[in-house]
Amino acid sequence: MPPLVDHHCHGVARSALDAAAFESFLTESDAPAAPGTTSFDTQLGFAVRRWCPPLLGLEPHCPPAHYLARRRELGPAEVTRRLLRATGIAAYLVDTGPRGGPGKGPGPGPGDLTPAQDLAALGGATAREIVRLELLAEDAADAARTAESFLDGLAEAVRGAARTAAGFKSVIAYRYGLDFAPGPPGPGEVREAARRWLAGRAPGGRLTDPVLLRHLLWSAAGTGLPLQLHTGFGDPDVTLHRADPLLLTDFVRAVRPTGCPLILLHGYPYHRGAAYLASAYPHVYADVGLALSHAGARAGAVLAEVLELVPFGKLLFSTDAYGLPELYVVGARLFREALTGLLAGWTAAGAWSHGDAARVAAMICADNARRVYRLEM
């Protein structure tokens, strides 16, 4: 199987992690495991224990305490280098937006995460940045004195980011939900929303105003760069039924004339809906990155459900790894194992030819991402 392009991922911790911090990245919860339990006792925890210990000189499925002790012995930089270079990932598109918050527990703050180029150097790969829209707005607000200066600064920030970034990402699913009004808000509506938000905002406050969130989406769509949208499950900051990608249908239709590629991330448990949208609209793409890691031994079942309907040129690979280099290993390994197993079964049954199976694997692993993001790497 060819090298991978991980089109949606994050930095990893540069400093040592204690057991509690490590476990916090094995769950989307914002709290420690329930008393008497551990986050290692999950599909993701078992996958980490299956695939990562051999890369650090240990037996598969070794006890978590042994694994964490070996991690401390080697040190963060060596652990990260060994793990990343075993993934087969040739390029990273790094969402540099996370600044801590729900779902990440006692793990590192944003300043302790590897930036894109450091991640690439450790992994022996290349990297580009995906810019988080909501953080552009929050930074512009911190620097603004009036609604007008905020909107001018935000417009310039979007234009500036578009000159170097591979794409944009929005977490409107977390900040409001995907059941937003689909069309672009008018200038007067945007100015009034900006005044209202700035008047009630404390320094560093998060953007949750639905009018300004929509303004961000349409500002990004106007650049022509791909726009990633979180859909489906995540940490407790999301209201899950309002993160169903099918709620985006009217927005998808409205954006279509712009030609802006929309990439629906994760999707689970609504991944079949994301596959439908990708099949129905030429500018919509899908991935199931985070879902496969958390599904663990059931990753093949989730991937099979997406491949029931998604056009093969519309599915992209990602890990959504954050904080732990182990999550890159698990995301890549589970994806490869799942895809290889499905293709082998279909070719053995005579449903697919071996040539078509190899061609589709190359598309999903890397070629689709290279085409959509116009990568030269």
Side-chain angles (χ1 to χ4, degrees):
M1 200 167 284
L4 302 168
V5 172
D6 190 343
H7 86 106
H8 177 60
C9 56
H10 308 277
V12 299
R14 290 188 282 197
S15 61
L17 301 175
D18 62 19
F22 188 95
E23 280 198 47
S24 74
F25 291 107
L26 299 182
T27 175
E28 287 296 304
S29 177
D30 58 357
T37 72
T38 169
S39 295
F40 275 103
D41 282 339
T42 60
Q43 287 280 10
L44 176 55
F46 275 30
V48 167
R49 291 176 54 215
R50 165 61 183 92
W51 297 112
C52 297
L55 301 175
L56 304 186
L58 300 172
E59 292 296 318
H61 307 296
C62 71
H66 294 180
Y67 181 76
L68 294 177
R70 177 60 171 163
R71 239 183 159 267
R72 290 191 296 272
E73 178 186 344
L74 292 172
E78 178 62 14
V79 168
T80 298
R81 188 190 67 80
R82 290 193 188 192
L83 296 181
L84 291 184
R85 295 191 178 219
T87 63
I89 295 172
Y92 304 99
L93 300 188
V94 184
D95 173 5
T96 55
R99 292 178 175 171
K104 301 309 173 193
D112 192 42
L113 296 176
T114 52
Q117 294 307 317
D118 287 1
L119 187 74
L122 287 164
T126 60
R128 295 280 303 281
E129 184 177 355
I130 299 293
V131 171
R132 182 78 67 90
L133 287 170
E134 289 79 10
L135 297 187
L136 286 183
E138 289 156 10
D139 289 343
D142 286 339
R145 293 181 177 272
T146 66
E148 289 72 21
S149 64
F150 161 68
L151 293 173
D152 288 344
L154 177 58
E156 178 53 38
V158 172
R159 287 193 295 268
R163 287 192 281 269
T164 58
F168 291 100
K169 181 192 174 184
S170 172
V171 289
I172 190 173
Y174 284 96
R175 301 299 183 84
Y176 178 78
L178 300 181
D179 48 349
F180 55 86
E189 189 180 5
V190 173
R191 283 193 299 272
E192 179 56 33
R195 292 190 190 101
R196 185 174 60 247
W197 181 52
L198 292 176
R201 176 182 184 263
R206 298 200 314 168
L207 176 61
T208 59
D209 185 277
V211 173
L212 295 178
L213 290 168
R214 286 163 55 212
H215 176 64
L216 282 174
L217 296 180
W218 283 97
S219 298
T223 70
L225 290 181
L227 174 56
Q228 299 178 352
L229 294 161
H230 178 98
T231 69
F233 85 118
D235 65 48
D237 215 20
V238 73
T239 301
L240 187 55
H241 71 276
R242 297 181 65 195
D244 185 335
L246 292 177
L247 295 172
L248 290 167
T249 301
D250 288 340
F251 176 69
V252 165
R253 291 169 176 158
V255 168
R256 183 173 179 177
T258 72
C260 173
L262 301 177
I263 296 95
L264 308 181
L265 303 175
H266 316 316
Y268 187 90
Y270 311 115
H271 45 290
R272 279 173 157 150
Y276 160 73
L277 290 173
S279 73
Y281 297 96
H283 60 302
V284 177
Y285 300 80
D287 89 349
V288 284
L290 182 64
L292 297 190
S293 294
H294 283 272
R298 289 281 294 169
V302 176
L303 184 59
E305 289 174 347
V306 174
L307 287 170
E308 291 168 354
L309 193 59
V310 72
F312 306 132
K314 296 290 210 70
L315 185 63
L316 282 65
F317 163 76
S318 78
T319 62
D320 194 28
Y322 176 86
L324 299 180
E326 284 84 353
L327 300 184
Y328 281 100
V329 172
V330 167
R333 176 64 72 165
L334 290 173
F335 167 77
R336 287 180 184 275
E337 293 282 315
L339 185 59
T340 299
L342 291 171
L343 297 181
W346 296 337
T347 54
W352 287 38
S353 72
H354 289 282
D356 281 339
R359 183 170 58 85
V360 168
M363 291 163 63
I364 299 172
C365 287
D367 292 349
N368 293 340
R370 294 186 189 279
R371 183 181 72 253
V372 173
Y373 293 97
R374 302 172 190 171
L375 300 179
E376 297 178 1
M377 41 168 73

